[in-house]
Amino acid sequence: MSIKKGIEVSIAASIAAKLARVEVIAAYPITPQTHIVEHLSELVANGELEAIYINVESEHSAMSACCGASAAGARTFTSTSAQGLELMHEILFIASGMRLPIVMATVNRALSSPLSIWGDHSDIMAARDTGWIMLFCENGQEVVDSIIMAFKIAEHRNVLLPVMVNLDGFSLSHVIEPIEFPSQKDVDSFLPPYKPLYSLHPDRPVTMGAYGMPEIYTEAKYAQEMALINSKDTIIGVMKEFGDKFGRHYKPVETHNTENTDFAFICLGSTNENIATAIDELKSYGKEAGLIKLRLFRPFPKDELLSALKDKKRIAVIERAMPAGAANGPLYNEIASLIYNNRLDITLENYIVGLGGRDVHPEYFIDIFDKKITFKTDKNYTVIGVRE
Amino acid sequence: MAKPMEQYKWHELNVGCVIDEPGNAREYKTGDWRSQKPVWNDSKCIKCGLCWLYCPDAAIYQIEDGFYRANLDYCKGCGICSKECKPGAIKMVEDIR
């Protein structure tokens, strides 16, 4: 029996980790992730969750402790945001290179400076090449379901990679939403206890994270890359199994109203709900716009994305991160590469919105559709709402 | 390792490059990193074993009469044995191969 209740999404995320029966949590509090780890700490302290909660002095230590716990064979969870994600940056590569199935809820937040505690995607875009599987969530239900699925994906013998579940700071983490929680019994049958392929145990000594000479490093990284690319099949399989069991169906790339239009937005995260609101309003004026949502960002779901966008004539890529001197925003660059490699004739536009918690209004997307917000091809991208 | 490192294909590696044969570092001979090698003067040696103790590669072994020698398959020529030898019985000399 599942239970539906109105709950803050952060608290819901920690309940999802509890339902997944995490065994070790190592975390350092940072806004806007705080409520997730505070509530997990309470659950452990109250004896409601049988897990070891390691208090650490930094995010670098948090991820290091997670690596140790996962290497010892424990189901391991953590959560962070912004500066915390950057402080654990070097360990993120170690977790993926050592193939440790850690799950992390990343509450996306702007990076300092200027100091900002508010939401955008500059933290995750700076960590996108760390070799983790990355899922993005649009609402609280997706956060809960993704955390449960994330463990199943991460621990699958064909995958064995860490998974980040991304949720937007404040605009998703701190809102109260009606969320359906699966029963412990159903989660247990979906997600059996973690059985590691290798673990640190004195009865069977192994070395993890050893030195890789030039003769072997290329092969080692290629093996890791293949595991990440091939994980997509397992991700699709786990999403299907989850849908069959719990009735909520997910796909790496999801679409909204794309059937009868040659225009589409592409975006990540909770901004997709603002865009969907704009699309409904456009519909009331007799205008049709589509939305292509990337649920899976790494591995980049290029086949699924290609089939979603190949019939379009005009696409607006919406991002919440500055390109930092790049030709375009990070998401645009990958979509442009996909379109070029397949020689598709699609007009691409790149818009940057919602930096450092700036409100994202549905009207922006109506104006983009109506070409009232100007996109000049001599400028690679337009920052919406910047005072010039 | 079942074969030399440079013959492994990517799909033949253990997940995460885990080493599940303890002690297989001995199959990797680091002696060719060396530019100098230790030479013992047994007439000065007091058989204290400090060279054996300090060698970071465990490349020094005791011979039958109690003196010490380096296994040149693994000795990297770091010179720690020579530095630590109290009676000055170990001299580092250029190793021309």
Side-chain angles (χ1 to χ4, degrees):
Chain A
M1 266 294 283
S2 60
I3 303 164
K4 193 166 195 171
K5 56 179 172 183
I7 190 168
E8 184 189 318
V9 171
S10 288
I11 306 299
S14 49
I15 292 171
K18 176 178 179 279
L19 284 169
R21 294 192 188 275
V22 295
E23 294 163 305
V24 175
I25 302 148
Y28 189 84
I30 181 169
T31 305
Q33 151 265 40
T34 327
H35 292 176
I36 297 177
V37 298
E38 270 178 3
H39 192 61
L40 279 168
S41 175
E42 280 167 9
L43 291 170
V44 173
N46 295 344
E48 293 171 66
L49 171 59
E50 224 176 292
I52 294 173
Y53 191 102
I54 306 173
N55 285 299
V56 286
E57 84 294 353
S58 75
E59 286 83 359
H60 192 279
S61 299
M63 187 46 67
S64 300
C66 285
C67 284
S70 187
R75 181 169 285 163
T76 306
F77 182 79
T78 188
S79 179
T80 195
S81 291
Q83 311 305 128
L85 187 66
E86 300 317 312
L87 187 51
M88 59 171 65
H89 193 78
E90 68 161 321
I91 316 297
L92 297 177
F93 290 87
I94 292 168
S96 59
M98 284 170 59
R99 309 284 298 276
L100 301 171
I102 299 161
V103 171
M104 174 156 69
T106 307
V107 188
N108 301 131
R109 175 189 130 176
L111 287 174
S112 187
S113 82
L115 179 60
S116 168
I117 58 164
W118 302 98
D120 75 20
H121 288 170
S122 41
D123 58 355
I124 185 59
M125 286 303 148
R128 68 190 187 281
D129 298 337
T130 51
W132 284 53
I133 292 170
M134 292 174 187
L135 300 167
F136 276 79
C137 302
E138 185 181 330
N139 55 48
Q141 188 68 57
E142 289 190 7
V143 172
V144 167
D145 295 347
S146 297
I147 288 172
I148 295 166
M149 284 190 283
F151 283 104
K152 183 135 178 146
I153 294 164
E155 294 168 3
H156 194 285
R157 281 287 166 93
N158 293 347
V159 178
L160 290 172
L161 284 166
V163 179
M164 261 185 228
V165 176
N166 288 277
L167 59 149
D168 285 309
F170 293 108
S171 59
L172 187 49
S173 66
H174 282 56
V175 296
I176 292 170
E177 292 191 357
I179 295 174
E180 193 172 320
F181 291 93
S183 72
Q184 185 66 64
K185 190 164 153 276
D186 286 346
V187 175
D188 287 347
S189 75
F190 175 76
L191 183 67
Y194 172 42
K195 288 200 180 68
L197 179 60
Y198 299 107
S199 66
L200 298 176
H201 195 283
D203 288 350
R204 193 188 166 212
V206 296
T207 299
M208 295 186 180
Y211 191 51
M213 295 291 287
E215 292 88 338
I216 208 77
Y217 188 87
T218 305
E219 283 69 25
K221 294 314 279 188
Y222 193 74
Q224 184 191 340
E225 190 70 7
M226 287 299 109
L228 183 54
I229 289 169
N230 294 334
S231 71
K232 196 180 72 182
D233 295 339
T234 304
I235 294 166
I236 292 167
V238 169
M239 285 174 167
K240 187 179 180 313
E241 194 184 331
F242 187 92
D244 292 344
K245 190 163 183 63
F246 298 103
R248 289 184 294 278
H249 299 271
Y250 297 104
K251 288 190 285 187
V253 175
E254 293 168 7
T255 55
H256 172 65
N257 199 46
T258 49
E259 300 79 21
N260 305 315
T261 172
D262 56 11
F263 172 81
F265 295 99
I266 296 182
C267 190
L268 293 163
S270 66
T271 310
N272 281 320
E273 292 213 335
N274 304 46
I275 300 174
T277 303
I279 288 173
D280 291 347
E281 197 172 333
L282 282 165
K283 211 183 232 318
S284 72
Y285 307 139
K287 298 171 179 175
E288 297 292 347
L291 171 60
I292 298 169
K293 303 184 269 192
L294 278 178
R295 286 268 301 137
L296 178 67
F297 181 58
R298 288 287 184 275
F300 197 68
K302 57 180 173 25
D303 303 328
E304 292 76 6
L305 192 54
L306 188 64
S307 62
L309 59 69
K310 65 179 189 304
D311 301 326
K312 302 289 167 275
K313 291 281 170 267
R314 182 181 164 223
I315 286 173
V317 182
I318 313 297
E319 312 203 45
R320 293 189 69 183
M322 269 295 180
N328 288 94
L331 181 57
Y332 178 101
N333 284 343
E334 297 195 34
I335 290 163
S337 151
L338 182 70
I339 288 174
Y340 177 78
N341 288 341
N342 290 280
R343 300 296 189 273
L344 298 176
D345 185 17
I346 299 174
T347 304
L348 265 184
E349 299 170 14
N350 195 189
Y351 298 94
I352 315 285
V353 296
L355 297 185
R358 179 76 61 94
D359 280 345
V360 179
H361 302 289
E363 292 72 33
Y364 292 159
F365 307 109
I366 293 170
D367 288 350
I368 288 170
F369 179 87
D370 289 334
K371 299 186 178 178
K372 281 182 190 156
I373 289 176
T374 52
F375 183 80
K376 299 191 185 89
T377 45
D378 59 329
K379 272 183 150 180
N380 292 331
Y381 52 88
T382 299
V383 181
I384 294 181
V386 68
R387 293 183 293 276
E388 290 185 277
Chain B
M1 286 194 290
K3 56 185 172 184
M5 200 189 288
E6 65 274 12
Q7 289 176 18
Y8 274 86
K9 293 178 180 160
W10 69 268
H11 50 83
E12 296 170 334
L13 297 171
N14 281 343
V15 167
C17 289
V18 162
I19 295 168
D20 56 357
E21 305 164 65
N24 73 356
R26 76 176 61 225
E27 290 167 36
Y28 184 58
K29 293 184 176 163
T30 48
D32 62 356
W33 298 14
R34 189 177 58 242
S35 59
Q36 288 186 315
K37 67 177 178 186
V39 175
W40 275 259
N41 180 346
D42 290 348
S43 64
K44 286 187 180 175
C45 175
I46 57 168
K47 302 181 184 176
C48 67
L50 278 180
C51 57
W52 173 84
L53 192 64
Y54 274 100
C55 177
D57 283 291
I60 293 173
Y61 60 97
Q62 202 168 21
I63 54 179
E64 271 180 23
D65 51 10
F67 295 113
Y68 290 88
R69 295 290 181 269
N71 181 339
L72 295 180
D73 280 345
Y74 301 105
C75 170
K76 292 178 186 142
C78 69
I80 289 174
C81 53
S82 171
K83 171 86 177 168
E84 296 298 335
C85 180
K86 302 305 170 202
I90 307 171
K91 194 177 168 192
M92 298 303 291
V93 301
E94 196 176 351
D95 186 20
I96 299 163
R97 277 162 291 166

